[in-house]
Amino acid sequence: MQPGRAAVEPLTAQPISTAIIPPAPPAVSPAAIAARHTGAHPHAWGVALPGITSSFPTAGKQLALTFDACGGPGNSQLDQALIDLLIAEQVPATLFLNKRWIDADPTRVQRLAANPLFEIASHGVAHKPLSVTGRAAYNITGTVSAEEAVHEVWANHERITELTGKPPRFFRAGTAHYDDVAVAIVNELGETPLGFTINADFGATASAAQVQRAMSTPTPGGIALAHMHRPKSGTAAGMAAAIPALRSAGYTFVHL
């Protein structure tokens, strides 16, 4: 997707209120949801639409870190330095995994899921913008129909559930772009479309200094988006600089 050590008190991860998360339907029928939206005409497009969660309510200085693993040719590695940093600093994070990245090494997904610091979320099947008309973002063609949009969400929902024993609560489209019909589809499938407040590493193209700078002006309740599939990027080093600075400024990191 296109769209940082002083002694500190040990971090105790606190869950964000799930009041913003709609309950999953008692019985999801992907085919029925696709049929209901077939032929629908979207009226809005982007990364920040009604129905997309891009921040969370908080009474204090809290941030949520999220990391995408996009998958596909050249994009199925793991930034182990980043994961090691999060573990060493005891920073909780939500990991958005694409099905291609998952299928490249399912055992690493299970290892990540077994760590209580990490929540596994879905980054779709083929890393496509979520659309019902094929609308593109960053030259990536989106899903072309309600049926394909449902498949982009649901096939990875099933894969993550199969591997981890826990269905994902959150979904982020490839490129984080959606149309309004696709947003409705995700919600009806029982997942929450997640956006972002901070674009931390510009699709894993940013230098460490750029990542640190992007993370240096947060707002409480913000959601940072970065990437975990390019170990040669500046993401890990940038986060290594940003995390202690944010803690010194009074911020804590929480799960969604």
Side-chain angles (χ1 to χ4, degrees):
M1 159 188 169
Q2 327 295 337
R5 169 173 332 197
V8 295
E9 293 297 319
L11 173 68
T12 300
Q14 301 174 4
I16 294 172
S17 169
T18 56
I20 62 172
I21 308 303
V28 172
S29 172
I33 291 169
R36 181 157 59 246
H37 292 283
T38 295
H41 298 288
H43 300 287
W45 171 256
V47 299
L49 302 178
I52 299 175
T53 295
S54 296
S55 61
F56 60 92
T58 176
K61 288 185 170 183
Q62 294 180 325
L63 287 176
L65 300 187
T66 69
F67 297 93
D68 291 358
C70 298
N75 288 315
S76 289
Q77 294 179 283
L78 174 63
D79 189 344
Q80 190 63 52
L82 174 65
I83 297 301
D84 290 346
L85 169 71
L86 298 174
I87 293 171
E89 294 287 345
Q90 288 293 284
V91 174
T94 305
L95 311 181
F96 284 82
L97 310 184
N98 181 261
K99 188 175 183 295
R100 301 171 303 175
W101 193 91
I102 291 171
D103 290 342
D105 186 354
T107 58
R108 71 183 170 187
V109 178
Q110 292 173 319
R111 289 194 300 270
L112 290 167
N115 190 321
L117 280 175
F118 304 133
E119 177 168 1
I120 305 302
S122 175
H123 200 29
V125 170
H127 194 258
K128 293 185 177 184
L130 208 68
S131 167
V132 295
T133 64
R135 186 158 181 172
Y138 305 111
N139 297 315
I140 301 174
T141 301
T143 50
V144 301
S145 64
E147 183 178 12
E148 188 180 4
V150 167
H151 174 75
E152 179 73 9
V153 179
W154 194 250
N156 203 33
H157 179 102
E158 292 185 308
R159 183 65 169 129
I160 290 171
T161 304
E162 172 194 28
L163 275 175
T164 69
K166 185 177 180 180
R169 296 188 300 143
F170 301 100
F171 175 87
R172 180 181 283 137
T175 77
H177 280 72
Y178 310 75
D179 66 34
D180 55 317
V181 178
V183 170
I185 286 171
V186 178
N187 278 300
E188 290 174 28
L189 287 169
E191 296 188 28
T192 295
L194 205 74
F196 58 93
T197 310
I198 302 168
N199 186 353
D201 68 357
F202 312 111
T205 65
S207 67
Q210 288 173 320
V211 173
Q212 183 180 8
R213 186 159 55 248
M215 294 293 295
S216 67
T217 56
T219 56
I223 297 171
L225 183 159
H227 293 77
M228 55 179 282
H229 65 274
R230 290 186 176 171
K232 295 181 180 180
S233 74
T235 303
M239 287 291 175
I243 287 169
L246 287 165
R247 282 183 168 154
S248 294
Y251 277 90
T252 58
F253 302 96
V254 295
H255 277 131
L256 288 168

